[in-house]
Each structure stands twice: as C-alpha cells, then as structure tokens.
Amino acid sequence: MNFLDTVPAIRRIDTDRDDLFAIDVVGYVSAADAENLFGLLEAAYALHPRIDVAVRLVDHEGVDWADISDDTLKQGTIRALEHVGRCAAIGEPDWTADARRFMPVPAPVELRHFSAEEEAMAWQWLDAEPIGGQ
C-alpha cells in the first residue's frame, strides 16, 4: 500500500470565520487521522484562544479508538474544554451525548447536534458559512 491508497478521513472546510475550525469526517477514522486532527486543533488554538467547531460526518464508518493513545485522548479533551466555545455536530451518528459524559457540569462547551438536513441551521447557529461549494 502506498500513500495514494488511503485518503485522510479528516478534511478541513474553509469558512468565512477565522476562529471557526470546521472539518468533514469522511468514512473510517484511523488512529493516524485522529492524531492529525488533534494537531490541527492545537494549531487553531495557537491562533485563537477561543474557537468554535463544526464537525460534519459524511458516510461515517467508525473510529479506531483502540489505537489512539489514552494520553492523546485525555489531553485533547482537556484542551477542547479550555478553548472551544460552541461545537456543531452535523450528520449521523449523533455522538454529542457520549461527548457530554466527558465534560464537567456545567459544560464549558455548547454542544449541539444537527441532522444532515439541518446543516444550514448549524451554520446559522455558528454564525458562519462554508466557502466554495462545500
């Protein structure tokens, strides 16, 4: 297998907001994809102390949780709680209930799920729009 055989599952979505981190999650998310995602988020945090996030699931086939290090998951959760204001989850499955279990009460992150049909509402809630036919 060469690098052309696999396409990254995490793909950036350009938006009209600099402080919005928006991604498509396409297909199956490998441990390498997850590690890359955490790196991209760290770069976003370095540019903006507070960000909003949009996660659009496209033909989601699961996540390789077993091969993602516990330290990476723990640190990723801590950093998200420090930096994320709002997070819109678009598409299925709805993972927001699972995410809330890892958050303190009251949660510092506003987390909402939107079905694929409600995507326009998600962008409105985030006061943003994707740029270029996305």
Side-chain angles (χ1 to χ4, degrees):
M1 179 184 298
N2 68 39
F3 73 94
L4 294 175
D5 291 336
T6 59
V7 176
I10 308 298
R11 303 174 193 170
R12 292 288 311 261
I13 301 171
D14 292 327
T15 74
D16 61 353
R17 280 186 55 196
D18 288 342
D19 62 344
L20 175 65
F21 180 82
I23 57 169
D24 278 335
V25 177
V26 182
Y28 185 76
V29 179
S30 70
D33 291 318
E35 295 283 344
N36 181 49
L37 171 60
F38 289 121
L40 293 171
L41 281 165
E42 285 299 325
Y45 303 152
L47 293 173
H48 303 282
R50 295 294 291 172
I51 65 170
D52 290 336
V53 175
V55 177
R56 184 168 58 187
L57 299 176
V58 180
D59 298 325
H60 184 64
E61 296 174 6
V63 178
D64 186 4
W65 294 112
D67 287 336
I68 303 169
S69 83
D70 289 340
D71 287 340
T72 296
L73 291 172
K74 184 177 180 180
Q75 187 63 26
T77 300
I78 290 168
R79 300 287 287 158
L81 292 172
E82 294 170 344
H83 294 281
V84 176
R86 286 185 161 189
C87 179
I90 305 164
E92 299 304 326
D94 177 2
W95 49 267
T96 58
D98 292 332
R100 281 188 184 94
R101 284 195 275 276
F102 293 101
M103 293 184 194
V105 177
V109 177
E110 285 184 76
L111 183 59
R112 278 186 63 183
H113 175 258
F114 299 86
S115 69
E117 294 77 24
E118 298 171 322
E119 182 174 345
M121 291 171 44
W123 291 110
Q124 184 177 20
W125 184 66
L126 292 167
D127 193 26
E129 291 185 27
I131 296 174
Q134 297 179 15

